[in-house]
mmCIF file of all heavy atoms in Angstrom:
data_model
loop_
_atom_site.group_PDB
_atom_site.id
_atom_site.type_symbol
_atom_site.label_atom_id
_atom_site.label_comp_id
_atom_site.label_asym_id
_atom_site.label_seq_id
_atom_site.Cartn_x
_atom_site.Cartn_y
_atom_site.Cartn_z
ATOM 1 N N GLY M 108 94.124 85.714 117.401
ATOM 2 C CA GLY M 108 94.444 84.833 118.529
ATOM 3 C C GLY M 108 93.332 84.434 119.368
ATOM 4 O O GLY M 108 93.492 83.686 120.362
ATOM 5 N N LYS M 109 92.087 84.914 119.096
ATOM 6 C CA LYS M 109 90.895 84.574 119.875
ATOM 7 C C LYS M 109 89.696 84.772 118.987
ATOM 8 O O LYS M 109 89.739 85.340 117.887
ATOM 9 C CB LYS M 109 90.839 85.452 121.145
ATOM 10 C CG LYS M 109 90.838 86.912 120.873
ATOM 11 C CD LYS M 109 90.988 87.658 122.220
ATOM 12 C CE LYS M 109 91.152 89.174 121.972
ATOM 13 N NZ LYS M 109 92.447 89.504 121.356
ATOM 14 N N VAL M 110 88.574 84.315 119.483
ATOM 15 C CA VAL M 110 87.279 84.454 118.752
ATOM 16 C C VAL M 110 86.632 85.724 119.199
ATOM 17 O O VAL M 110 86.411 85.988 120.375
ATOM 18 C CB VAL M 110 86.327 83.252 119.051
ATOM 19 C CG1 VAL M 110 85.032 83.439 118.305
ATOM 20 C CG2 VAL M 110 86.995 81.942 118.701
ATOM 21 N N PHE M 111 86.256 86.549 118.225
ATOM 22 C CA PHE M 111 85.489 87.755 118.525
ATOM 23 C C PHE M 111 84.002 87.451 118.351
ATOM 24 O O PHE M 111 83.583 86.885 117.323
ATOM 25 C CB PHE M 111 85.869 88.955 117.597
ATOM 26 C CG PHE M 111 84.984 90.156 117.807
ATOM 27 C CD1 PHE M 111 85.139 90.898 118.987
ATOM 28 C CD2 PHE M 111 84.048 90.545 116.865
ATOM 29 C CE1 PHE M 111 84.329 92.005 119.207
ATOM 30 C CE2 PHE M 111 83.257 91.625 117.093
ATOM 31 C CZ PHE M 111 83.382 92.387 118.258
ATOM 32 N N ASN M 112 83.227 87.859 119.356
ATOM 33 C CA ASN M 112 81.766 87.680 119.321
ATOM 34 C C ASN M 112 81.413 86.209 119.171
ATOM 35 O O ASN M 112 80.652 85.846 118.235
ATOM 36 C CB ASN M 112 81.175 88.498 118.222
ATOM 37 C CG ASN M 112 79.720 88.824 118.511
ATOM 38 O OD1 ASN M 112 79.220 88.566 119.584
ATOM 39 N ND2 ASN M 112 78.998 89.364 117.453
ATOM 40 N N PRO M 113 81.881 85.311 120.038
ATOM 41 C CA PRO M 113 81.607 83.922 119.901
ATOM 42 C C PRO M 113 80.082 83.627 119.981
ATOM 43 O O PRO M 113 79.381 84.269 120.728
ATOM 44 C CB PRO M 113 82.337 83.283 121.115
ATOM 45 C CG PRO M 113 82.538 84.393 122.079
ATOM 46 C CD PRO M 113 82.687 85.612 121.251
ATOM 47 N N SER M 114 79.686 82.642 119.192
ATOM 48 C CA SER M 114 78.260 82.332 119.089
ATOM 49 C C SER M 114 78.053 80.906 118.510
ATOM 50 O O SER M 114 78.875 80.500 117.718
ATOM 51 C CB SER M 114 77.535 83.349 118.253
ATOM 52 O OG SER M 114 76.163 83.012 118.014
ATOM 53 N N ASP M 115 76.952 80.314 118.876
ATOM 54 C CA ASP M 115 76.536 79.038 118.292
ATOM 55 C C ASP M 115 75.262 79.234 117.534
ATOM 56 O O ASP M 115 74.638 78.252 117.049
ATOM 57 C CB ASP M 115 76.325 77.953 119.380
ATOM 58 C CG ASP M 115 77.650 77.559 120.044
ATOM 59 O OD1 ASP M 115 78.614 77.426 119.383
ATOM 60 O OD2 ASP M 115 77.614 77.459 121.347
ATOM 61 N N THR M 116 74.765 80.428 117.424
ATOM 62 C CA THR M 116 73.500 80.724 116.771
ATOM 63 C C THR M 116 73.583 80.543 115.227
ATOM 64 O O THR M 116 74.400 81.065 114.609
ATOM 65 C CB THR M 116 73.025 82.158 117.092
ATOM 66 O OG1 THR M 116 72.974 82.334 118.491
ATOM 67 C CG2 THR M 116 71.680 82.435 116.473
ATOM 68 N N LYS M 117 72.621 79.763 114.785
ATOM 69 C CA LYS M 117 72.602 79.456 113.338
ATOM 70 C C LYS M 117 71.565 80.338 112.623
ATOM 71 O O LYS M 117 70.663 80.905 113.244
ATOM 72 C CB LYS M 117 72.231 77.989 113.115
ATOM 73 C CG LYS M 117 73.311 76.991 113.646
ATOM 74 C CD LYS M 117 72.944 75.561 113.345
ATOM 75 C CE LYS M 117 74.011 74.618 113.850
ATOM 76 N NZ LYS M 117 73.653 73.192 113.592
ATOM 77 N N GLY M 118 71.733 80.465 111.310
ATOM 78 C CA GLY M 118 70.759 81.200 110.493
ATOM 79 C C GLY M 118 71.382 82.325 109.744
ATOM 80 O O GLY M 118 72.526 82.733 109.972
ATOM 81 N N GLY M 119 70.640 82.858 108.807
ATOM 82 C CA GLY M 119 71.071 84.050 108.035
ATOM 83 C C GLY M 119 71.896 83.695 106.850
ATOM 84 O O GLY M 119 72.255 82.569 106.622
ATOM 85 N N THR M 120 72.289 84.777 106.138
ATOM 86 C CA THR M 120 73.080 84.623 104.916
ATOM 87 C C THR M 120 74.406 85.414 105.089
ATOM 88 O O THR M 120 74.357 86.572 105.442
ATOM 89 C CB THR M 120 72.358 85.171 103.722
ATOM 90 O OG1 THR M 120 71.141 84.413 103.490
ATOM 91 C CG2 THR M 120 73.178 85.061 102.429
ATOM 92 N N LEU M 121 75.493 84.739 104.815
ATOM 93 C CA LEU M 121 76.861 85.385 104.768
ATOM 94 C C LEU M 121 77.029 85.894 103.341
ATOM 95 O O LEU M 121 76.914 85.178 102.380
ATOM 96 C CB LEU M 121 77.938 84.425 105.176
ATOM 97 C CG LEU M 121 78.166 84.209 106.641
ATOM 98 C CD1 LEU M 121 79.252 83.130 106.869
ATOM 99 C CD2 LEU M 121 78.592 85.469 107.339
ATOM 100 N N ARG M 122 77.522 87.181 103.252
ATOM 101 C CA ARG M 122 77.681 87.815 101.892
ATOM 102 C C ARG M 122 79.180 88.146 101.703
ATOM 103 O O ARG M 122 79.698 88.964 102.338
ATOM 104 C CB ARG M 122 76.838 89.080 101.838
ATOM 105 C CG ARG M 122 75.326 88.828 102.120
ATOM 106 C CD ARG M 122 74.665 90.135 102.543
ATOM 107 N NE ARG M 122 75.230 90.749 103.688
ATOM 108 C CZ ARG M 122 74.929 91.969 104.171
ATOM 109 N NH1 ARG M 122 73.998 92.683 103.598
ATOM 110 N NH2 ARG M 122 75.508 92.434 105.241
ATOM 111 N N PHE M 123 79.782 87.396 100.772
ATOM 112 C CA PHE M 123 81.168 87.610 100.399
ATOM 113 C C PHE M 123 81.240 88.337 99.075
ATOM 114 O O PHE M 123 80.271 88.261 98.250
ATOM 115 C CB PHE M 123 81.877 86.253 100.212
ATOM 116 C CG PHE M 123 82.102 85.445 101.481
ATOM 117 C CD1 PHE M 123 81.069 84.677 102.030
ATOM 118 C CD2 PHE M 123 83.357 85.419 102.061
ATOM 119 C CE1 PHE M 123 81.313 83.960 103.190
ATOM 120 C CE2 PHE M 123 83.591 84.667 103.229
ATOM 121 C CZ PHE M 123 82.548 83.911 103.792
ATOM 122 N N ALA M 124 82.382 88.976 98.814
ATOM 123 C CA ALA M 124 82.648 89.554 97.528
ATOM 124 C C ALA M 124 84.110 89.396 97.148
ATOM 125 O O ALA M 124 84.996 89.414 98.024
ATOM 126 C CB ALA M 124 82.236 91.026 97.444
ATOM 127 N N ASN M 125 84.371 89.176 95.844
ATOM 128 C CA ASN M 125 85.705 88.974 95.320
ATOM 129 C C ASN M 125 85.937 90.085 94.273
ATOM 130 O O ASN M 125 85.110 90.259 93.393
ATOM 131 C CB ASN M 125 85.813 87.603 94.708
ATOM 132 C CG ASN M 125 87.207 87.210 94.282
ATOM 133 O OD1 ASN M 125 88.052 88.049 94.094
ATOM 134 N ND2 ASN M 125 87.450 85.928 94.118
ATOM 135 N N SER M 126 87.072 90.768 94.330
ATOM 136 C CA SER M 126 87.343 91.841 93.372
ATOM 137 C C SER M 126 87.646 91.254 91.985
ATOM 138 O O SER M 126 87.612 92.004 91.015
ATOM 139 C CB SER M 126 88.471 92.741 93.840
ATOM 140 O OG SER M 126 89.672 92.025 93.815
ATOM 141 N N GLY M 127 87.971 89.993 91.922
ATOM 142 C CA GLY M 127 88.178 89.358 90.647
ATOM 143 C C GLY M 127 87.312 88.126 90.510
ATOM 144 O O GLY M 127 86.284 87.992 91.160
ATOM 145 N N ASP M 128 87.673 87.228 89.605
ATOM 146 C CA ASP M 128 87.009 85.961 89.431
ATOM 147 C C ASP M 128 87.810 84.923 90.163
ATOM 148 O O ASP M 128 88.965 85.071 90.525
ATOM 149 C CB ASP M 128 86.936 85.627 87.962
ATOM 150 C CG ASP M 128 85.861 84.600 87.671
ATOM 151 O OD1 ASP M 128 85.222 84.088 88.634
ATOM 152 O OD2 ASP M 128 85.672 84.254 86.486
ATOM 153 N N TRP M 129 87.165 83.767 90.509
ATOM 154 C CA TRP M 129 87.745 82.631 91.102
ATOM 155 C C TRP M 129 88.697 81.960 90.044
ATOM 156 O O TRP M 129 88.379 81.908 88.887
ATOM 157 C CB TRP M 129 86.728 81.647 91.522
ATOM 158 C CG TRP M 129 86.966 80.979 92.859
ATOM 159 C CD1 TRP M 129 87.624 79.825 93.061
ATOM 160 C CD2 TRP M 129 86.485 81.415 94.138
ATOM 161 N NE1 TRP M 129 87.599 79.526 94.425
ATOM 162 C CE2 TRP M 129 86.928 80.469 95.076
ATOM 163 C CE3 TRP M 129 85.737 82.527 94.576
ATOM 164 C CZ2 TRP M 129 86.601 80.580 96.483
ATOM 165 C CZ3 TRP M 129 85.441 82.648 95.902
ATOM 166 C CH2 TRP M 129 85.875 81.667 96.824
ATOM 167 N N ASP M 130 89.889 81.471 90.462
ATOM 168 C CA ASP M 130 90.668 80.707 89.508
ATOM 169 C C ASP M 130 89.902 79.493 89.033
ATOM 170 O O ASP M 130 89.783 79.264 87.897
ATOM 171 C CB ASP M 130 92.064 80.410 90.012
ATOM 172 C CG ASP M 130 92.137 79.654 91.320
ATOM 173 O OD1 ASP M 130 91.047 79.480 91.967
ATOM 174 O OD2 ASP M 130 93.220 79.244 91.704
ATOM 175 N N SER M 131 89.364 78.745 90.036
ATOM 176 C CA SER M 131 88.414 77.654 89.698
ATOM 177 C C SER M 131 87.857 77.140 91.026
ATOM 178 O O SER M 131 88.498 77.119 92.045
ATOM 179 C CB SER M 131 89.123 76.513 88.960
ATOM 180 O OG SER M 131 88.195 75.437 88.761
ATOM 181 N N LEU M 132 86.573 76.757 90.984
ATOM 182 C CA LEU M 132 85.959 76.116 92.148
ATOM 183 C C LEU M 132 86.240 74.620 92.162
ATOM 184 O O LEU M 132 85.956 73.924 93.148
ATOM 185 C CB LEU M 132 84.438 76.370 92.102
ATOM 186 C CG LEU M 132 84.031 77.802 92.303
ATOM 187 C CD1 LEU M 132 82.584 78.000 91.932
ATOM 188 C CD2 LEU M 132 84.253 78.205 93.797
ATOM 189 N N ASP M 133 86.847 74.078 91.129
ATOM 190 C CA ASP M 133 87.221 72.716 91.052
ATOM 191 C C ASP M 133 88.420 72.482 91.970
ATOM 192 O O ASP M 133 89.442 73.108 91.832
ATOM 193 C CB ASP M 133 87.610 72.342 89.600
ATOM 194 C CG ASP M 133 87.759 70.847 89.366
ATOM 195 O OD1 ASP M 133 88.336 70.166 90.225
ATOM 196 O OD2 ASP M 133 87.372 70.374 88.337
ATOM 197 N N PRO M 134 88.288 71.471 92.871
ATOM 198 C CA PRO M 134 89.443 71.244 93.797
ATOM 199 C C PRO M 134 90.713 70.910 93.134
ATOM 200 O O PRO M 134 91.804 71.100 93.732
ATOM 201 C CB PRO M 134 88.930 70.071 94.664
ATOM 202 C CG PRO M 134 87.428 70.109 94.530
ATOM 203 C CD PRO M 134 87.152 70.610 93.169
ATOM 204 N N ALA M 135 90.677 70.437 91.929
ATOM 205 C CA ALA M 135 91.919 70.089 91.204
ATOM 206 C C ALA M 135 92.619 71.230 90.555
ATOM 207 O O ALA M 135 93.789 71.121 90.100
ATOM 208 C CB ALA M 135 91.605 69.047 90.096
ATOM 209 N N ASP M 136 91.977 72.415 90.561
ATOM 210 C CA ASP M 136 92.436 73.496 89.726
ATOM 211 C C ASP M 136 92.434 74.857 90.404
ATOM 212 O O ASP M 136 92.200 75.878 89.801
ATOM 213 C CB ASP M 136 91.522 73.548 88.431
ATOM 214 C CG ASP M 136 92.184 74.299 87.292
ATOM 215 O OD1 ASP M 136 93.403 74.329 87.201
ATOM 216 O OD2 ASP M 136 91.408 74.919 86.469
ATOM 217 N N THR M 137 92.737 74.872 91.707
ATOM 218 C CA THR M 137 92.681 76.128 92.426
ATOM 219 C C THR M 137 93.917 76.312 93.252
ATOM 220 O O THR M 137 94.445 75.319 93.846
ATOM 221 C CB THR M 137 91.428 76.198 93.319
ATOM 222 O OG1 THR M 137 91.354 77.412 93.948
ATOM 223 C CG2 THR M 137 91.418 75.095 94.359
ATOM 224 N N TYR M 138 94.430 77.546 93.346
ATOM 225 C CA TYR M 138 95.688 77.779 94.112
ATOM 226 C C TYR M 138 95.722 79.149 94.705
ATOM 227 O O TYR M 138 96.760 79.767 94.824
ATOM 228 C CB TYR M 138 96.888 77.570 93.205
ATOM 229 C CG TYR M 138 98.127 77.106 93.917
ATOM 230 C CD1 TYR M 138 98.189 76.894 95.294
ATOM 231 C CD2 TYR M 138 99.325 76.847 93.242
ATOM 232 C CE1 TYR M 138 99.314 76.482 95.924
ATOM 233 C CE2 TYR M 138 100.493 76.471 93.856
ATOM 234 C CZ TYR M 138 100.468 76.247 95.223
ATOM 235 O OH TYR M 138 101.604 75.849 95.895
ATOM 236 N N TYR M 139 94.558 79.706 95.056
ATOM 237 C CA TYR M 139 94.506 80.930 95.834
ATOM 238 C C TYR M 139 94.231 80.606 97.291
ATOM 239 O O TYR M 139 93.424 79.705 97.563
ATOM 240 C CB TYR M 139 93.539 81.945 95.301
ATOM 241 C CG TYR M 139 94.045 82.754 94.154
ATOM 242 C CD1 TYR M 139 93.784 82.417 92.816
ATOM 243 C CD2 TYR M 139 94.830 83.836 94.418
ATOM 244 C CE1 TYR M 139 94.294 83.182 91.768
ATOM 245 C CE2 TYR M 139 95.351 84.619 93.420
ATOM 246 C CZ TYR M 139 95.079 84.299 92.088
ATOM 247 O OH TYR M 139 95.615 85.053 91.105
ATOM 248 N N GLY M 140 94.888 81.322 98.207
ATOM 249 C CA GLY M 140 94.723 81.049 99.618
ATOM 250 C C GLY M 140 93.315 81.131 100.067
ATOM 251 O O GLY M 140 92.795 80.331 100.884
ATOM 252 N N TYR M 141 92.598 82.192 99.592
ATOM 253 C CA TYR M 141 91.230 82.329 99.968
ATOM 254 C C TYR M 141 90.371 81.228 99.546
ATOM 255 O O TYR M 141 89.375 80.786 100.186
ATOM 256 C CB TYR M 141 90.662 83.705 99.522
ATOM 257 C CG TYR M 141 90.504 83.885 98.003
ATOM 258 C CD1 TYR M 141 89.381 83.331 97.339
ATOM 259 C CD2 TYR M 141 91.455 84.531 97.266
ATOM 260 C CE1 TYR M 141 89.224 83.419 95.998
ATOM 261 C CE2 TYR M 141 91.285 84.676 95.900
ATOM 262 C CZ TYR M 141 90.193 84.118 95.285
ATOM 263 O OH TYR M 141 90.030 84.293 93.902
ATOM 264 N N SER M 142 90.736 80.599 98.350
ATOM 265 C CA SER M 142 89.993 79.493 97.849
ATOM 266 C C SER M 142 90.197 78.264 98.711
ATOM 267 O O SER M 142 89.236 77.496 99.045
ATOM 268 C CB SER M 142 90.393 79.199 96.372
ATOM 269 O OG SER M 142 89.750 78.041 95.879
ATOM 270 N N TRP M 143 91.475 78.033 99.127
ATOM 271 C CA TRP M 143 91.754 76.857 99.999
ATOM 272 C C TRP M 143 91.061 77.049 101.373
ATOM 273 O O TRP M 143 90.637 76.054 102.015
ATOM 274 C CB TRP M 143 93.214 76.698 100.159
ATOM 275 C CG TRP M 143 93.974 76.209 99.015
ATOM 276 C CD1 TRP M 143 93.483 76.160 97.670
ATOM 277 C CD2 TRP M 143 95.250 75.582 98.973
ATOM 278 N NE1 TRP M 143 94.444 75.586 96.872
ATOM 279 C CE2 TRP M 143 95.504 75.194 97.633
ATOM 280 C CE3 TRP M 143 96.170 75.278 99.929
ATOM 281 C CZ2 TRP M 143 96.720 74.623 97.252
ATOM 282 C CZ3 TRP M 143 97.396 74.688 99.550
ATOM 283 C CH2 TRP M 143 97.631 74.369 98.203
ATOM 284 N N ASN M 144 90.921 78.274 101.817
ATOM 285 C CA ASN M 144 90.235 78.570 103.056
ATOM 286 C C ASN M 144 88.713 78.273 102.880
ATOM 287 O O ASN M 144 88.122 77.511 103.662
ATOM 288 C CB ASN M 144 90.460 80.021 103.424
ATOM 289 C CG ASN M 144 89.802 80.456 104.750
ATOM 290 O OD1 ASN M 144 89.179 79.658 105.427
ATOM 291 N ND2 ASN M 144 89.971 81.749 105.054
ATOM 292 N N PHE M 145 88.174 78.775 101.809
ATOM 293 C CA PHE M 145 86.704 78.709 101.555
ATOM 294 C C PHE M 145 86.257 77.275 101.173
ATOM 295 O O PHE M 145 85.157 76.841 101.534
ATOM 296 C CB PHE M 145 86.329 79.680 100.497
ATOM 297 C CG PHE M 145 84.828 79.795 100.267
ATOM 298 C CD1 PHE M 145 84.054 80.666 101.041
ATOM 299 C CD2 PHE M 145 84.167 79.036 99.315
ATOM 300 C CE1 PHE M 145 82.673 80.769 100.812
ATOM 301 C CE2 PHE M 145 82.852 79.140 99.077
ATOM 302 C CZ PHE M 145 82.085 79.993 99.828
ATOM 303 N N ILE M 146 87.150 76.544 100.429
ATOM 304 C CA ILE M 146 86.698 75.274 99.890
ATOM 305 C C ILE M 146 86.318 74.266 100.976
ATOM 306 O O ILE M 146 85.583 73.315 100.702
ATOM 307 C CB ILE M 146 87.844 74.707 98.975
ATOM 308 C CG1 ILE M 146 87.282 73.714 97.945
ATOM 309 C CG2 ILE M 146 88.937 74.027 99.825
ATOM 310 C CD1 ILE M 146 88.284 73.353 96.877
ATOM 311 N N ARG M 147 86.745 74.493 102.193
ATOM 312 C CA ARG M 147 86.431 73.560 103.287
ATOM 313 C C ARG M 147 84.926 73.601 103.582
ATOM 314 O O ARG M 147 84.399 72.737 104.274
ATOM 315 C CB ARG M 147 87.198 73.952 104.514
ATOM 316 C CG ARG M 147 88.706 73.794 104.380
ATOM 317 C CD ARG M 147 89.494 74.340 105.576
ATOM 318 N NE ARG M 147 89.291 75.772 105.796
ATOM 319 C CZ ARG M 147 89.507 76.386 106.975
ATOM 320 N NH1 ARG M 147 89.948 75.686 107.998
ATOM 321 N NH2 ARG M 147 89.310 77.673 107.073
ATOM 322 N N ASN M 148 84.221 74.599 103.044
ATOM 323 C CA ASN M 148 82.721 74.645 103.221
ATOM 324 C C ASN M 148 81.998 73.665 102.312
ATOM 325 O O ASN M 148 80.951 73.219 102.680
ATOM 326 C CB ASN M 148 82.226 76.047 102.908
ATOM 327 C CG ASN M 148 82.541 77.057 103.988
ATOM 328 O OD1 ASN M 148 82.162 76.821 105.135
ATOM 329 N ND2 ASN M 148 83.164 78.131 103.658
ATOM 330 N N TYR M 149 82.637 73.326 101.177
ATOM 331 C CA TYR M 149 81.903 72.376 100.290
ATOM 332 C C TYR M 149 82.702 71.128 99.966
ATOM 333 O O TYR M 149 82.218 70.250 99.278
ATOM 334 C CB TYR M 149 81.450 73.081 99.007
ATOM 335 C CG TYR M 149 82.536 73.637 98.085
ATOM 336 C CD1 TYR M 149 83.138 72.847 97.078
ATOM 337 C CD2 TYR M 149 82.943 74.973 98.175
ATOM 338 C CE1 TYR M 149 84.113 73.366 96.251
ATOM 339 C CE2 TYR M 149 83.893 75.485 97.351
ATOM 340 C CZ TYR M 149 84.422 74.680 96.389
ATOM 341 O OH TYR M 149 85.411 75.244 95.514
ATOM 342 N N GLY M 150 83.976 71.031 100.500
ATOM 343 C CA GLY M 150 84.742 69.896 100.235
ATOM 344 C C GLY M 150 85.494 69.398 101.460
ATOM 345 O O GLY M 150 85.965 70.177 102.254
#
């Protein structure tokens, strides 16, 4: 319901991990919620 540790500071590397494989990075072929959340970074 709110932002924790709000910041506008840029830089660094975000490190994600997935316990499985992606169904697909292709926008036409994906149906996992985390993929729809993440895909907004490149599409």
